[in-house]
Amino acid sequence: MSLLSHLSPLRDAYHRLTQAGGDPFDVNFDAILSPTEGVLNGSRMLLLGTNNYLGLTFDPACVASAAQALQMQGTGTTGSRIANGTYGGHRALEEQLARFYGRRSAMVFTTGYQANLGMLSSLVGPGDHIVIDADSHASIYDGVKLSRATVTRFRHNDPKDLSCRLGRLPAGGNTLIVVEGVYSMLGDSAPLAEIAAIKREFGAYLLVDEAHSMGVLGKNGRGLAEAAGVEAEVDFIVGTFSKSLGAIGGFCVSDQQDFELLRLVSRPYMFTASLPPSIIASVSAALDRLQQEPALRRRLSDNARRLHTALVAAGFVISPKPSPIISIQLASPELAIAFWNRLIDAGIYINLALPPATPRGIALLRSSVSAAHSEEQLDRVVDAMVAIAGELGVITPRRRAVSG
Amino acid sequence: MAYEANHVAVRIKGLVAERVPRIDAVAGDARIRDLGLDSVAVMDLVMAVEDQYEVIVPLERLAEIETVDDLIRVVCGLIQGRVVS
Ligand SMILES: Cc1ncc(COP(=O)(O)O)c(C=O)c1O
């Protein structure tokens, strides 16, 4: 028996999955050409699964800032801020984030995953309670384990269930509620106004992970809290630089007293190297772009609506409300894998999401729309999807998709 | 308490059976994983049990629940704790 023999059921499942053609977990791009195009096995691919919501990965201002910082300050910090010190860019970006959100403090982490680990592990501890949405991202599930608080789940986007469970918690200790701005698999949003009211009723604290909603929702792009008009009730906003800001990194902003002390206790902040100057520079430039160009957000929502309307008209099973995350639900993993392979053949790359990573065990073809997509690109996607769906018997091709 | 524990056992086995296709009786020593419930189905089961008894099974206690009897034992403990406190 080998050390990894406990993984043999996984090996078998993985093997079955790759029988249908390409391996969805091992996609090797030859080149990335733009926010919306790449080359896969010699073929040009339209990219529709990138989380590159504002299309800023090739933005000239972001690239130039990063290049200059790279030339001037080198490739990396080679250590944590606790050990190797804070660079000017780290502090400046934290101030920029705090200003953007209108908060007193901000803390930058090396990834969004670590931001959740870093916050959840240090905001509460033994004797406290954390109540999370059942469909939370893996980084939230992992973060709450590090906290050693008592962890309770409530049914996805169900304020009544949240309220019920809060009512059952034993007295004593603080309670932290954790939800997401936009859920990454189905693109749905938390009913934040109701959740904020419940939070107030129970005297709890509220943390919102705006990973997929920063730069996407809200008049100024501050996310769901802004869109729902409840920023004052949200005690902590966590986010990532890896989606709308087109780079890598994570952060938390807050008005909490003594927030700065978290830098001395949050192990995922203290015991990993800080972001390199080039990344800090591109993120800072991207945040400027996000603020100075609301047109990007408008284009993103126009694009999302265009794709959503066309897919609904074609008869696909997708979530009822348009969002930049548009997921087609399919009857079985096998069908989803076949569909995904056909899309690759048609020059379109999207995400395949299978249980248990998906809610309620459904199989999904997950697309994320970008402001950088052209209408022509999106129409091409719809044509290809409708044709493949017809061949695979996913929808009856009764109607041609009307786009726009 | 013994009477109530018996009741809880029957009810929880019923909730398990509802989620396992083609099963006549759920054995107490059956491992929940072996019943073909994936992690999402287990979560759904635990939430249904929580709602039935208005308790909370904290996520960190799931690790000690392998068999149906483990689940019954943990829930009985939680009910008792609620009565005492
Ligand atoms: C809801 C949510 N939180 C956090 C993360 C982690 O972000 P990052 O890619 O910066 O680690 C993701 C991205 O996968 C996410 O979807």
Short mmCIF file of all heavy atoms in Angstrom, two decimals, chain A residues 133-178:
data_model
loop_
_atom_site.label_atom_id
_atom_site.label_comp_id
_atom_site.label_asym_id
_atom_site.label_seq_id
_atom_site.Cartn_x
_atom_site.Cartn_y
_atom_site.Cartn_z
N ASP A 133 -22.25 31.11 5.07
CA ASP A 133 -23.14 30.57 4.05
C ASP A 133 -22.61 29.19 3.64
O ASP A 133 -21.41 29.00 3.48
CB ASP A 133 -23.15 31.51 2.83
CG ASP A 133 -24.16 31.10 1.76
OD1 ASP A 133 -23.93 30.08 1.07
OD2 ASP A 133 -25.16 31.81 1.61
N ALA A 134 -23.52 28.24 3.46
CA ALA A 134 -23.09 26.87 3.16
C ALA A 134 -22.33 26.77 1.83
O ALA A 134 -21.50 25.88 1.65
CB ALA A 134 -24.31 25.94 3.12
N ASP A 135 -22.58 27.69 0.90
CA ASP A 135 -21.89 27.64 -0.40
C ASP A 135 -20.62 28.49 -0.42
O ASP A 135 -20.17 28.91 -1.48
CB ASP A 135 -22.83 28.11 -1.53
CG ASP A 135 -23.87 27.06 -1.88
OD1 ASP A 135 -23.86 25.99 -1.23
OD2 ASP A 135 -24.68 27.29 -2.80
N SER A 136 -20.03 28.72 0.74
CA SER A 136 -18.84 29.57 0.80
C SER A 136 -17.65 28.98 0.05
O SER A 136 -17.52 27.76 -0.08
CB SER A 136 -18.43 29.78 2.26
OG SER A 136 -19.33 30.65 2.91
N HIS A 137 -16.80 29.89 -0.39
CA HIS A 137 -15.56 29.52 -1.08
C HIS A 137 -14.63 28.71 -0.15
O HIS A 137 -14.66 28.89 1.07
CB HIS A 137 -14.85 30.80 -1.53
CG HIS A 137 -13.67 30.57 -2.41
ND1 HIS A 137 -12.37 30.63 -1.94
CD2 HIS A 137 -13.58 30.26 -3.71
CE1 HIS A 137 -11.54 30.40 -2.94
NE2 HIS A 137 -12.24 30.17 -4.02
N ALA A 138 -13.81 27.88 -0.74
CA ALA A 138 -12.88 27.04 0.02
C ALA A 138 -12.01 27.85 0.98
O ALA A 138 -11.69 27.39 2.09
CB ALA A 138 -11.99 26.25 -0.94
N SER A 139 -11.64 29.06 0.59
CA SER A 139 -10.78 29.86 1.46
C SER A 139 -11.50 30.26 2.75
O SER A 139 -10.86 30.45 3.79
CB SER A 139 -10.29 31.12 0.72
OG SER A 139 -11.39 31.87 0.23
N ILE A 140 -12.82 30.37 2.68
CA ILE A 140 -13.60 30.68 3.89
C ILE A 140 -13.68 29.42 4.77
O ILE A 140 -13.46 29.48 5.98
CB ILE A 140 -14.99 31.22 3.50
CG1 ILE A 140 -14.82 32.57 2.82
CG2 ILE A 140 -15.90 31.32 4.72
CD1 ILE A 140 -16.08 33.15 2.20
N TYR A 141 -13.97 28.29 4.14
CA TYR A 141 -14.00 27.03 4.90
C TYR A 141 -12.66 26.77 5.58
O TYR A 141 -12.60 26.34 6.73
CB TYR A 141 -14.38 25.86 3.98
CG TYR A 141 -15.87 25.65 3.89
CD1 TYR A 141 -16.61 26.17 2.84
CD2 TYR A 141 -16.55 24.95 4.88
CE1 TYR A 141 -18.00 25.98 2.77
CE2 TYR A 141 -17.93 24.75 4.83
CZ TYR A 141 -18.65 25.26 3.76
OH TYR A 141 -20.00 25.09 3.72
N ASP A 142 -11.57 27.03 4.87
CA ASP A 142 -10.24 26.77 5.45
C ASP A 142 -9.93 27.80 6.53
O ASP A 142 -9.35 27.46 7.57
CB ASP A 142 -9.16 26.79 4.36
CG ASP A 142 -9.32 25.63 3.39
OD1 ASP A 142 -10.19 24.77 3.63
OD2 ASP A 142 -8.57 25.57 2.39
N GLY A 143 -10.31 29.04 6.30
CA GLY A 143 -10.03 30.11 7.26
C GLY A 143 -10.73 29.89 8.59
O GLY A 143 -10.14 30.09 9.65
N VAL A 144 -12.00 29.46 8.54
CA VAL A 144 -12.73 29.30 9.80
C VAL A 144 -12.13 28.17 10.63
O VAL A 144 -12.18 28.20 11.86
CB VAL A 144 -14.25 29.09 9.59
CG1 VAL A 144 -14.85 30.30 8.89
CG2 VAL A 144 -14.56 27.82 8.83
N LYS A 145 -11.56 27.19 9.98
CA LYS A 145 -10.91 26.10 10.73
C LYS A 145 -9.74 26.65 11.55
O LYS A 145 -9.50 26.22 12.68
CB LYS A 145 -10.36 25.05 9.77
CG LYS A 145 -11.36 23.97 9.44
CD LYS A 145 -10.70 22.85 8.68
CE LYS A 145 -11.70 22.16 7.80
NZ LYS A 145 -11.10 21.45 6.68
N LEU A 146 -9.00 27.59 10.96
CA LEU A 146 -7.85 28.16 11.67
C LEU A 146 -8.26 29.02 12.85
O LEU A 146 -7.46 29.30 13.73
CB LEU A 146 -7.01 29.01 10.70
CG LEU A 146 -6.21 28.30 9.62
CD1 LEU A 146 -5.43 29.32 8.80
CD2 LEU A 146 -5.25 27.29 10.23
N SER A 147 -9.52 29.48 12.84
CA SER A 147 -9.95 30.39 13.91
C SER A 147 -10.16 29.68 15.24
O SER A 147 -10.08 30.30 16.29
CB SER A 147 -11.25 31.07 13.52
OG SER A 147 -12.33 30.14 13.66
N ARG A 148 -10.48 28.41 15.21
CA ARG A 148 -10.85 27.62 16.38
C ARG A 148 -12.13 28.13 17.06
O ARG A 148 -12.43 27.79 18.19
CB ARG A 148 -9.69 27.49 17.37
CG ARG A 148 -8.52 26.75 16.70
CD ARG A 148 -7.41 26.43 17.65
NE ARG A 148 -6.84 27.64 18.20
CZ ARG A 148 -6.45 27.79 19.44
NH1 ARG A 148 -6.56 26.81 20.29
NH2 ARG A 148 -5.93 28.92 19.86
N ALA A 149 -12.89 28.96 16.36
CA ALA A 149 -14.22 29.35 16.84
C ALA A 149 -15.19 28.23 16.48
O ALA A 149 -14.86 27.32 15.71
CB ALA A 149 -14.65 30.66 16.20
N THR A 150 -16.41 28.29 17.04
CA THR A 150 -17.44 27.33 16.67
C THR A 150 -18.03 27.76 15.33
O THR A 150 -18.43 28.91 15.17
CB THR A 150 -18.56 27.33 17.73
OG1 THR A 150 -17.96 27.07 18.99
CG2 THR A 150 -19.59 26.27 17.44
N VAL A 151 -18.07 26.82 14.38
CA VAL A 151 -18.50 27.19 13.02
C VAL A 151 -19.85 26.57 12.70
O VAL A 151 -20.07 25.38 12.89
CB VAL A 151 -17.46 26.71 11.99
CG1 VAL A 151 -17.88 27.16 10.59
CG2 VAL A 151 -16.08 27.22 12.33
N THR A 152 -20.75 27.43 12.23
CA THR A 152 -22.09 26.98 11.85
C THR A 152 -22.37 27.43 10.42
O THR A 152 -21.97 28.51 10.04
CB THR A 152 -23.14 27.66 12.77
OG1 THR A 152 -22.76 27.41 14.11
CG2 THR A 152 -24.52 27.14 12.50
N ARG A 153 -23.04 26.56 9.66
CA ARG A 153 -23.41 26.95 8.30
C ARG A 153 -24.90 27.25 8.24
O ARG A 153 -25.68 26.59 8.92
CB ARG A 153 -23.11 25.82 7.32
CG ARG A 153 -21.64 25.63 7.12
CD ARG A 153 -21.38 24.41 6.32
NE ARG A 153 -21.77 23.20 7.03
CZ ARG A 153 -21.51 21.98 6.59
NH1 ARG A 153 -20.89 21.82 5.45
NH2 ARG A 153 -21.88 20.93 7.28
N PHE A 154 -25.27 28.23 7.42
CA PHE A 154 -26.69 28.42 7.14
C PHE A 154 -26.94 28.16 5.67
O PHE A 154 -26.02 28.21 4.85
CB PHE A 154 -27.17 29.81 7.57
CG PHE A 154 -26.60 30.97 6.78
CD1 PHE A 154 -27.31 31.51 5.71
CD2 PHE A 154 -25.37 31.52 7.10
CE1 PHE A 154 -26.79 32.58 4.98
CE2 PHE A 154 -24.84 32.59 6.38
CZ PHE A 154 -25.55 33.12 5.31
N ARG A 155 -28.19 27.86 5.33
CA ARG A 155 -28.54 27.52 3.95
C ARG A 155 -28.26 28.69 3.04
O ARG A 155 -28.54 29.84 3.39
CB ARG A 155 -29.99 27.07 3.85
CG ARG A 155 -30.23 25.73 4.49
CD ARG A 155 -31.58 25.13 4.10
NE ARG A 155 -31.63 23.74 4.54
CZ ARG A 155 -31.93 23.38 5.79
NH1 ARG A 155 -32.22 24.30 6.68
NH2 ARG A 155 -31.93 22.10 6.13
N HIS A 156 -27.74 28.37 1.87
CA HIS A 156 -27.27 29.37 0.92
C HIS A 156 -28.29 30.49 0.66
O HIS A 156 -29.43 30.22 0.27
CB HIS A 156 -26.92 28.67 -0.40
CG HIS A 156 -26.51 29.64 -1.48
ND1 HIS A 156 -25.46 30.53 -1.31
CD2 HIS A 156 -27.00 29.86 -2.72
CE1 HIS A 156 -25.33 31.25 -2.41
NE2 HIS A 156 -26.25 30.86 -3.28
N ASN A 157 -27.86 31.72 0.88
CA ASN A 157 -28.67 32.92 0.60
C ASN A 157 -30.04 32.89 1.27
O ASN A 157 -31.01 33.42 0.70
CB ASN A 157 -28.84 33.10 -0.92
CG ASN A 157 -27.64 33.80 -1.54
OD1 ASN A 157 -26.76 34.28 -0.82
ND2 ASN A 157 -27.61 33.88 -2.85
N ASP A 158 -30.12 32.29 2.46
CA ASP A 158 -31.40 32.15 3.14
C ASP A 158 -31.37 32.91 4.48
O ASP A 158 -30.96 32.36 5.50
CB ASP A 158 -31.67 30.65 3.36
CG ASP A 158 -33.05 30.39 3.92
OD1 ASP A 158 -33.67 31.31 4.50
OD2 ASP A 158 -33.50 29.23 3.81
N PRO A 159 -31.80 34.18 4.47
CA PRO A 159 -31.71 34.99 5.69
C PRO A 159 -32.52 34.39 6.85
O PRO A 159 -32.11 34.51 8.01
CB PRO A 159 -32.31 36.34 5.29
CG PRO A 159 -32.29 36.37 3.81
CD PRO A 159 -32.37 34.94 3.34
N LYS A 160 -33.64 33.73 6.52
CA LYS A 160 -34.45 33.16 7.60
C LYS A 160 -33.69 32.05 8.31
O LYS A 160 -33.69 31.94 9.53
CB LYS A 160 -35.77 32.60 7.02
CG LYS A 160 -36.96 33.38 7.55
CD LYS A 160 -38.27 32.99 6.93
CE LYS A 160 -38.75 31.61 7.28
NZ LYS A 160 -39.86 31.21 6.38
N ASP A 161 -33.00 31.23 7.50
CA ASP A 161 -32.21 30.15 8.08
C ASP A 161 -31.06 30.72 8.91
O ASP A 161 -30.74 30.21 9.99
CB ASP A 161 -31.68 29.24 6.96
CG ASP A 161 -31.21 27.91 7.51
OD1 ASP A 161 -31.99 27.24 8.19
OD2 ASP A 161 -30.04 27.55 7.28
N LEU A 162 -30.45 31.80 8.41
CA LEU A 162 -29.38 32.46 9.16
C LEU A 162 -29.91 32.90 10.53
O LEU A 162 -29.29 32.65 11.57
CB LEU A 162 -28.87 33.68 8.37
CG LEU A 162 -27.95 34.65 9.15
CD1 LEU A 162 -26.66 33.95 9.57
CD2 LEU A 162 -27.63 35.89 8.31
N SER A 163 -31.06 33.53 10.50
CA SER A 163 -31.66 34.05 11.72
C SER A 163 -31.95 32.92 12.71
O SER A 163 -31.65 33.01 13.91
CB SER A 163 -32.92 34.81 11.34
OG SER A 163 -33.56 35.30 12.46
N CYS A 164 -32.53 31.83 12.20
CA CYS A 164 -32.81 30.64 13.01
C CYS A 164 -31.56 30.15 13.71
O CYS A 164 -31.54 29.87 14.91
CB CYS A 164 -33.22 29.50 12.08
SG CYS A 164 -34.93 29.18 12.08
N ARG A 165 -30.49 30.01 12.94
CA ARG A 165 -29.27 29.45 13.49
C ARG A 165 -28.60 30.39 14.48
O ARG A 165 -28.05 29.97 15.49
CB ARG A 165 -28.31 29.06 12.36
CG ARG A 165 -28.66 27.67 11.84
CD ARG A 165 -28.17 27.37 10.46
NE ARG A 165 -29.16 26.52 9.81
CZ ARG A 165 -29.23 25.20 9.99
NH1 ARG A 165 -28.34 24.59 10.73
NH2 ARG A 165 -30.17 24.51 9.41
N LEU A 166 -28.67 31.69 14.20
CA LEU A 166 -28.12 32.65 15.16
C LEU A 166 -28.87 32.53 16.48
O LEU A 166 -28.29 32.63 17.56
CB LEU A 166 -28.24 34.08 14.61
CG LEU A 166 -27.25 34.46 13.51
CD1 LEU A 166 -27.64 35.80 12.89
CD2 LEU A 166 -25.82 34.52 14.03
N GLY A 167 -30.19 32.30 16.38
CA GLY A 167 -31.02 32.17 17.58
C GLY A 167 -30.66 30.94 18.41
O GLY A 167 -30.93 30.90 19.61
N ARG A 168 -30.08 29.93 17.76
CA ARG A 168 -29.73 28.69 18.48
C ARG A 168 -28.35 28.74 19.13
O ARG A 168 -27.98 27.84 19.87
CB ARG A 168 -29.72 27.52 17.51
CG ARG A 168 -31.09 27.05 17.11
CD ARG A 168 -30.94 25.85 16.19
NE ARG A 168 -32.00 25.81 15.22
CZ ARG A 168 -31.91 25.20 14.05
NH1 ARG A 168 -30.78 24.60 13.70
NH2 ARG A 168 -32.92 25.18 13.23
N LEU A 169 -27.56 29.77 18.79
CA LEU A 169 -26.20 29.80 19.33
C LEU A 169 -26.23 30.01 20.84
O LEU A 169 -27.02 30.81 21.33
CB LEU A 169 -25.39 30.95 18.69
CG LEU A 169 -25.03 30.80 17.22
CD1 LEU A 169 -24.29 32.04 16.74
CD2 LEU A 169 -24.18 29.56 16.99
N PRO A 170 -25.38 29.30 21.57
CA PRO A 170 -25.31 29.52 23.01
C PRO A 170 -24.83 30.94 23.30
O PRO A 170 -24.12 31.54 22.49
CB PRO A 170 -24.28 28.48 23.49
CG PRO A 170 -23.53 28.08 22.27
CD PRO A 170 -24.41 28.30 21.10
N ALA A 171 -25.23 31.47 24.45
CA ALA A 171 -24.83 32.83 24.82
C ALA A 171 -23.31 32.88 25.04
O ALA A 171 -22.68 31.87 25.32
CB ALA A 171 -25.56 33.25 26.08
N GLY A 172 -22.78 34.06 24.91
CA GLY A 172 -21.35 34.25 25.17
C GLY A 172 -20.53 34.25 23.90
O GLY A 172 -20.84 33.54 22.95
N GLY A 173 -19.49 35.06 23.89
CA GLY A 173 -18.61 35.13 22.73
C GLY A 173 -19.16 36.05 21.66
O GLY A 173 -20.33 36.41 21.67
N ASN A 174 -18.28 36.45 20.74
CA ASN A 174 -18.70 37.27 19.60
C ASN A 174 -19.15 36.38 18.46
O ASN A 174 -18.73 35.23 18.36
CB ASN A 174 -17.54 38.15 19.13
CG ASN A 174 -17.28 39.30 20.09
OD1 ASN A 174 -18.22 39.96 20.53
ND2 ASN A 174 -16.02 39.50 20.43
N THR A 175 -19.98 36.96 17.58
CA THR A 175 -20.44 36.20 16.41
C THR A 175 -20.09 36.96 15.14
O THR A 175 -20.37 38.15 15.02
CB THR A 175 -21.97 36.00 16.48
OG1 THR A 175 -22.27 35.28 17.69
CG2 THR A 175 -22.46 35.20 15.29
N LEU A 176 -19.46 36.26 14.21
CA LEU A 176 -19.09 36.84 12.93
C LEU A 176 -19.85 36.11 11.82
O LEU A 176 -19.79 34.88 11.72
CB LEU A 176 -17.58 36.67 12.71
CG LEU A 176 -17.01 37.17 11.37
CD1 LEU A 176 -17.10 38.69 11.27
CD2 LEU A 176 -15.55 36.73 11.20
N ILE A 177 -20.59 36.88 11.02
CA ILE A 177 -21.32 36.30 9.87
C ILE A 177 -20.46 36.52 8.63
O ILE A 177 -19.91 37.61 8.44
CB ILE A 177 -22.68 37.00 9.70
CG1 ILE A 177 -23.53 36.85 10.96
CG2 ILE A 177 -23.43 36.46 8.47
CD1 ILE A 177 -24.76 37.77 10.98
N VAL A 178 -20.34 35.50 7.78
CA VAL A 178 -19.51 35.62 6.59
C VAL A 178 -20.33 35.27 5.34
O VAL A 178 -20.92 34.18 5.27
CB VAL A 178 -18.29 34.67 6.66
CG1 VAL A 178 -17.42 34.84 5.42
CG2 VAL A 178 -17.48 34.93 7.92
#
